[in-house]
Every structure is written in C-alpha cells, then in structure tokens.
Amino acid sequence: MLLVGSNINSPKHSKASKVPSGRLARLGRLGSLASRVAGGMIAEGAVQLAAGKRPKLNEVLLTPNNVKRVADQLAKLRGAAMKVGQLMSMDAGEMLPKEVSELLARLRADADPMPIGQLSQVLLKEWGEDWQQQFQQFSLQPIAAASIGQVHSAYLSQQQRVAIKIQYPGVKDSIDSDVDNVVSLLNISGLLPKQFDYQQILQDAKLQLHQEADYLQESEYLRQYQQKLATHPEFELPQLYEHLTTSNILTMSHHDGEVIDQLSEEPQALRDKIMHNLFKLLMMELFEFGLMQTDPNFANYLYSKQSQKIILLDFGATRQIPSALSAGYRHLLSKALNQPFSLDLAALTDLGFVNDDSTERQIATLELMLSMVIKPLQFDGEYDFAQSPLAKQLRETGMTLSYEHDYWNTPPIDVLLIHRKIGGMYLLASRLKAKVNLKQVFEPYRL
C-alpha cells in the first residue's frame, strides 16, 4: 500500500497539533486560557484607566487578542469544546451579542489536524495491525478537519475511492466536561444574558454531541436516508463501507462536487432548482421522514455538474422529529398563512416558545417575528431571496425580543435544531440569490 502525504502541513492546514485526550489535560488548557484572557482584561483595563476612562466589561474582554486566544485554543482542543459554540449560537442565531457571535463564527472554521503519530495510533486501535492491507493508497494528509474528526482520502482499488472520517481521540469522554467548562468561561465573562436559562439546553446538547460522536449511529441514519430518498433522483448519497466503519471511524464512498454556496455565479435556473430541491427536502424531513439532518453547514452539501445531483454528505447531526412536534409546525404555519395573518398561541405553547410567564409584549414580538419568517411562504410565485431584507429584520427584532423586553425563553433543543436548519436554508438561498416558490413547496402539507 502507498502512504501519501507524510508532510501534513499545507496551505489549508498550516499547523498540526496533538489533540489533548485526557480530562485533566483539556481542563488545564481551558484553565490556562481563562488565565490568559483575564490577564488581557486587566492589561486593557489598566490602559483605559490611565486614559481617564472607566472600563466596561465587554470592552476589556472582547479585545481582538482575547477573541483570538479563545478561538485558537478551542480549535486546538477540538471536540465539544469547539462544537459548543455552534450549539450556543443556535437560539435564533443572531440573538447573542455581536462580539460573541463573531467569536463563535470563528469556531466554524477548520480545526487543526492531528499529527501523523497520533493519527497512526487511532488507526491501529480501530483497524488492527494489518490495517494498511485494506488499501491500495491512503493519504495521511486530511482533506478536512472539523470539531469532532478529520476526513482522509484513500483508495481500496484503482476504481474505489473512499472518504474516511476519523474521530479525534478522547472526544467522547470529554464531551460533558468540555461543555460545562466552555459555558462556564462564557458565563463568568458576563456575556450570556442573565435571563438565558441554559441548563436544560446544555443537557440536551451533551446528548446530541454524544450521538454525533457515535459513527455507528451516523451510519444507521445514512442507511435510513438512502431508503427514504430512493425515489428522489435529484439527491445522491454516499455508499457505506461497513467493514471499515467503527464507532470512531466512518468510511464512505468519495464524491466530487462543488460546495453548494460556491454556485452563486451559476445560471439563475440552476440556483433556483437547487434551492427548490433543498427546501423540498427540508419539508419532507419535517413532515414526512420523522428525521432531520440539522446541521446547515454548507460543506455538508455538494453539487455534481456531471450527475446534476445534490450530494448529501454528513448525517451526524440527524435528529428524530417527534410526530407531535411535526404536527405543531403544520398547525402554526398553516394558520399563519391564512388571511388575515393570525398567531396560533396553542401551537407556540406546544413548541415551547410561550409559557405562563410570557407577557403580551413578548407575544406581540413573537407575532412580528413569525410574520417575517412566513413571508417567503405567503408570497405568490417565486420569492426573491437576493432582494429580501429578512435576515436583517430578524436580527433587529430578535435583539429587541432578547434585551429590550428582557426575554429569553429557550425552547426545547429539537425546536432550536429545526430553526438552525431553517435559518441555514434561508441564508443559503440568500447566498445563491435564488428565487423559490416556497408556498408551492409547503402546499402538500398545509392543513
């Protein structure tokens, strides 16, 4: 077998770093990070005092150097320490302070890859001493490195190219402590709104992350999607190689294509067709499948110009959608589409947006937000996402809901994950400057 890429450094991955796998080692990294951030705060505060200013917490904490320290250290830790930022930003996305959102956005970039020595230890543990005999060629340089694992390219034969997702060591064991430690870091900074009741969402987030770290579970979701989309030729899914798949390694067929958000200069008709099919998939997931791949990361979607199909790559963040939740969304959207526009308070209560403590002002703001979200579905004909001010309006209204009204009622994590996916599809449609008749796409499910 030919091993390729012994030099792991590349323009994309400029620096490999060992993943700290022990709990104490990871805690030590976070403790060291907190100390350095605190030191930066003291230094910046002293500068402002010397200039005759009374330093504000945000101004001394969210300096460029401190933001870089946090993002860089979490990228080295990988695992849940890196992933938690994405989960914390799911609650309407733009409702966290601007500076925190920018920090969390940095964590969506590629992580540092493992050094070759650590990678070899993982392969030896998972596949045994003769693992190299399985391959004609194996690239030691990853083609991608994210929060939970990195992806390698290999050939089983000259015609069989595979993509191999390899989990960083220690990720499963460190999920709970990573989540607690990172949130504590954010909490003591005073950046999280005092009304943000994050305990339940963190518990649910831990369960979700444990599921995402189980590649055998992901392979089962891949099989289910293959069955459910068997009669939908517009989508292409990878083939699973079970004999090379474990709970820490997932091996699938390799697929070439362009990352979906890079198609903004393609013909309008193609962009419209792609988004129509992705919105159709979203509706099928929510109202038919009882399953939803909830991670809207654009890298999870490729488009093959050769086959003219959308390639679905990652199923780690798949979530089972309870039938009651699906029914709640059907009622909420169906009633909101009636003329004149009206709010289904019972559905909002069932979905967790409204409770006994909700005020009239909070409900009125929710009504305003829903009236914005529903606009693309109300529009007769193709809605032009390129010309829509929807994202800006939702951000402004969300900030009002969060701060001016002193409101932070966190819905269940299933709802947050669904909204994360919907928000991702709206953003992608805007990036592609697509025009989609969403009213027509939703019509089969309307009550």
Side-chain angles (χ1 to χ4, degrees):
M1 183 204 69
L2 178 62
L3 291 173
V4 178
S6 57
N7 179 10
I8 204 167
N9 294 330
S10 68
K12 188 175 183 181
H13 299 297
S14 58
K15 185 178 180 182
S17 63
K18 186 175 181 180
V19 182
S21 56
R23 293 184 182 181
L24 288 178
R26 297 179 71 80
L27 180 60
R29 287 283 185 92
L30 286 170
S32 174
L33 169 62
S35 297
R36 290 200 301 278
V37 169
M41 290 173 63
I42 293 170
E44 178 65 22
V47 170
Q48 293 198 20
L49 283 171
K53 297 179 182 178
R54 183 177 180 180
K56 296 179 181 179
L57 177 62
N58 282 11
E59 292 176 356
V60 297
L61 176 70
L62 297 168
T63 64
N65 283 338
N66 272 350
V67 170
K68 186 176 186 301
R69 286 186 186 102
V70 173
D72 289 350
Q73 189 60 261
L74 296 187
K76 287 180 171 60
L77 280 167
R78 280 82 101 194
M82 183 176 176
K83 190 90 173 181
V84 70
Q86 300 169 32
L87 290 167
M88 289 297 294
S89 65
M90 288 188 309
D91 195 352
E94 298 289 349
M95 292 173 72
L96 289 172
K98 177 176 178 287
E99 296 87 351
V100 181
S101 296
E102 289 175 355
L103 184 153
L104 298 177
R106 290 192 58 168
L107 302 182
R108 296 188 182 99
D110 285 345
D112 295 338
M114 288 183 280
I116 290 174
Q118 193 172 34
L119 168 66
S120 299
Q121 292 173 5
V122 175
L123 296 176
L124 187 65
K125 179 181 178 182
E126 295 298 319
W127 283 339
E129 293 184 2
D130 62 345
W131 70 266
Q132 298 183 28
Q133 304 305 314
Q134 305 265 13
F135 302 95
Q136 185 179 88
Q137 179 179 311
F138 189 99
S139 176
L140 294 172
Q141 179 175 300
I143 56 178
S147 57
I148 290 178
Q150 60 190 46
V151 182
H152 290 256
S153 175
Y155 286 87
L156 300 177
S157 66
Q158 193 169 357
Q159 288 77 35
Q160 284 182 296
R161 186 180 181 188
V162 293
I164 304 168
K165 187 157 67 170
I166 302 169
Q167 190 170 125
Y168 301 127
V171 162
K172 288 186 178 73
D173 294 335
S174 65
I175 286 173
D176 291 358
S177 57
D178 269 5
V179 171
D180 290 338
N181 291 333
V182 173
V183 173
S184 294
L185 191 64
L186 289 173
N187 193 38
I188 62 174
S189 71
L191 292 174
L192 292 182
K194 294 179 181 179
Q195 297 79 22
F196 185 26
D197 181 15
Y198 56 81
Q199 291 303 322
Q200 184 57 52
I201 186 179
L202 289 187
Q203 190 60 36
D204 291 336
K206 290 174 185 178
L207 294 175
Q208 174 69 19
L209 284 165
H210 278 292
Q211 179 175 299
E212 288 189 42
D214 183 354
Y215 289 170
L216 290 177
Q217 177 64 70
E218 182 175 349
S219 66
E220 174 57 30
Y221 283 137
L222 170 57
R223 279 190 285 263
Q224 291 186 41
Y225 267 86
Q226 286 171 335
Q227 294 172 0
K228 293 179 183 298
L229 292 174
T231 58
H232 295 274
E234 61 270 30
F235 298 106
E236 183 176 321
L237 283 79
Q239 173 191 346
L240 177 68
Y241 289 84
E242 293 189 42
H243 68 291
L244 292 171
T245 295
T246 72
S247 63
N248 297 311
I249 293 181
L250 180 60
T251 304
M252 301 174 290
S253 54
H254 178 92
H255 293 254
D256 287 317
E258 295 186 50
V259 178
I260 207 93
D261 67 327
Q262 302 300 310
L263 301 172
S264 59
E265 300 306 317
E266 293 297 320
Q268 184 75 49
L270 175 60
R271 289 180 275 126
D272 295 348
K273 179 182 177 183
I274 287 172
M275 281 314 309
H276 173 89
N277 288 334
L278 285 175
F279 276 120
K280 185 174 76 170
L281 175 61
L282 174 64
M283 298 293 181
M284 289 191 293
E285 288 178 312
L286 184 55
F287 300 119
E288 293 182 40
F289 293 175
L291 288 175
M292 179 179 287
Q293 195 289 98
T294 60
D295 185 355
N297 187 335
F298 300 148
N300 293 336
Y301 306 90
L302 301 179
Y303 181 74
S304 170
K305 291 183 178 178
Q306 182 177 2
S307 67
Q308 299 183 356
K309 294 183 178 184
I310 299 169
I311 303 166
L312 308 178
L313 290 180
D314 194 305
F315 297 88
T318 299
R319 190 88 175 176
Q320 296 186 33
I321 305 299
S323 57
L325 196 62
S326 177
Y329 274 103
R330 286 187 72 184
H331 282 281
L332 183 67
L333 295 176
S334 296
K335 186 168 183 178
L337 284 173
N338 292 336
Q339 295 296 336
F341 171 84
S342 61
L343 196 65
D344 190 334
L345 279 178
L348 279 175
T349 303
D350 290 341
L351 292 172
F353 285 105
V354 173
N355 57 34
D356 293 339
D357 297 324
S358 297
T359 66
E360 290 184 8
R361 287 194 306 170
Q362 292 162 4
I363 293 173
T365 309
L366 273 173
E367 184 173 11
L368 177 60
M369 290 188 73
L370 181 59
S371 69
M372 293 177 186
V373 173
I374 208 77
K375 280 182 180 178
L377 283 85
Q378 289 176 319
F379 189 78
D380 262 328
E382 295 181 333
Y383 184 83
D384 189 349
F385 281 90
Q387 303 301 320
S388 171
L390 189 59
K392 181 181 178 181
Q393 291 174 347
L394 281 173
R395 171 182 166 77
E396 291 172 351
T397 308
M399 293 300 289
T400 300
L401 183 68
S402 175
Y403 294 107
E404 184 178 318
H405 290 183
D406 198 26
Y407 177 87
W408 197 288
N409 179 49
T410 305
I413 193 170
D414 285 328
V415 173
L416 295 182
L417 289 166
I418 290 170
H419 282 223
R420 181 191 187 197
K421 177 67 171 285
I422 294 172
M425 289 298 102
Y426 273 30
L427 179 59
L428 180 58
S430 178
R431 291 261 182 102
L432 293 184
K433 296 171 284 189
K435 300 176 182 178
V436 183
N437 190 331
L438 273 187
K439 186 175 184 180
Q440 182 186 66
V441 176
F442 177 68
E443 193 61 34
Y445 309 102
R446 187 172 177 177
L447 296 173

